[in-house]
Amino acid sequence: MNSNFILILFSVIVIGSYFFSLISRWSRIPSVLLLIASGIGLRFAFGPNSVEIESMNFLVELFGNAGLIVIILEASLDLKLEVGKVKIIRSSFLSALFILVVSLFATAVAVYYFLDVPFRTALVYGLPLSVISSAIVIPSVEHLSEAKKEFITYESSLSDIFGVLLFNYLILDELFSLASYLNFFLSIIFILLVSLLTTILLLYLVSKLGTHLKLFLLIAILFLLYGIGKIYHFPSLIIILVFGITLSNIKLLVHPKTKWILNFDTLSPIILQFKSLTSEFSFLIRTFFFLFFGFTIDISSLINPEVVLLGSVILLSLLVVRYLYFKFIIKTEIFPEIFLMPRGLITILLFYSIPVQYHIPYFDKGVLLFVIIGTSLLMSVGLILFKPKEITYYY
């Protein structure tokens, strides 16, 4: 392989991903599945031993972290905080939290029973499979009503946030102790304060910089802050969320006393450019992340009876939890919401972040692929069969 071949290959991949997006809009089949299938196909084309799988695993983790940052940023830039949206925000908050926690225990029980591991380890493995992937669901619900689309955007974004926070808590040395509780909540308070301070400084920096090359500088600073926070085990994703929501709702902060920091006339065009750049950047990172993940998958694992059985139990558990919540707790429309629960980027990323002391050597990654494909297909079925109504009975 030479540099020209790699350049051509990467260009073909990006162009192919663009066409996958067009196919996805027409067929309602998530482009993620097409990208994973392409990665599997490339593995066969190059041969299983042509590329070191460990190197590909590293790329999956690298692009996963970058993708998580950009996707949360992209989602938060679409979240509008208005008085009329209090109900939908509260509903999505409770939905994300309740469904995540109950799904976690249901999934952990399945892992505990089938793999015969300590329940703490089962919880750590169950969490990645319990988090909805905003990277997959948000681009897939463009045709839904505004209320449904906003609910799914809030719910999936919050599910990502709660999932990362809960994962960081589960891997603490002591799970049920006063010290662990204090450490967890103090870290959240600390990161919220850092997020507010960082957001103010970044907005001031952007409004004062004269150069046009400021948008990638902004993204680089956010990546830097996230990386530093991860090293010290802080929930640094909150920084990204706070920054994105602030940009999306900058009008609420405009005041004569804050004009020296928040000049709306200066920031407004920059925010529009930043949203466009974030969307393009998110598309690029998602493309290579899912392609590389597909390359690392041994497709033969999908015909392993143990993988199929465990994956099916987990898939059914996730669907039942979601159905019961929408049907009997909030008592609202259940279609297509119960099917909008894809697993993807966040699931894979958290799986690769499991500490060594919790590793299950005989855990088959095919379970991840089975659940990702299963939830994505369920989402496709829901979106294909869904017929929009003029009236939305929502929240």
Side-chain angles (χ1 to χ4, degrees), residues 218-251:
L218 203 57
I219 289 178
I221 293 173
L222 292 173
F223 273 51
L224 174 66
L225 293 171
Y226 176 83
I228 294 172
K230 286 284 287 183
I231 291 173
Y232 291 99
H233 304 292
F234 285 116
S236 49
L237 208 58
I238 292 177
I239 296 176
I240 312 300
L241 185 68
V242 170
F243 180 77
I245 290 177
T246 303
L247 254 63
S248 180
N249 300 275
I250 196 74
K251 282 186 177 181

Side-chain angles (χ1 to χ4, degrees), residues 361-373:
Y362 47 90
F363 182 85
D364 196 322
K365 279 200 304 183
V367 175
L368 291 181
L369 184 60
F370 186 93
V371 174
I372 289 171
I373 292 175

Side-chain angles (χ1 to χ4, degrees), residues 297-311:
I297 291 296
D298 181 6
I299 195 67
S300 63
S301 63
L302 288 179
I303 60 174
N304 183 337
E306 294 180 358
V307 168
V308 173
L309 184 57
L310 177 56

Side-chain angles (χ1 to χ4, degrees), residues 188-244:
I188 292 178
I189 293 172
F190 173 76
I191 209 69
L192 280 172
L193 293 175
V194 170
S195 301
L196 293 172
L197 179 61
T198 300
T199 298
I200 293 171
L201 291 175
L202 286 177
L203 290 175
Y204 179 76
L205 177 67
V206 169
S207 63
K208 297 301 178 184
L209 279 176
T211 176
H212 294 291
L213 304 175
K214 61 181 78 173
L215 299 181
F216 267 111
L217 172 63
L218 203 57
I219 289 178
I221 293 173
L222 292 173
F223 273 51
L224 174 66
L225 293 171
Y226 176 83
I228 294 172
K230 286 284 287 183
I231 291 173
Y232 291 99
H233 304 292
F234 285 116
S236 49
L237 208 58
I238 292 177
I239 296 176
I240 312 300
L241 185 68
V242 170
F243 180 77

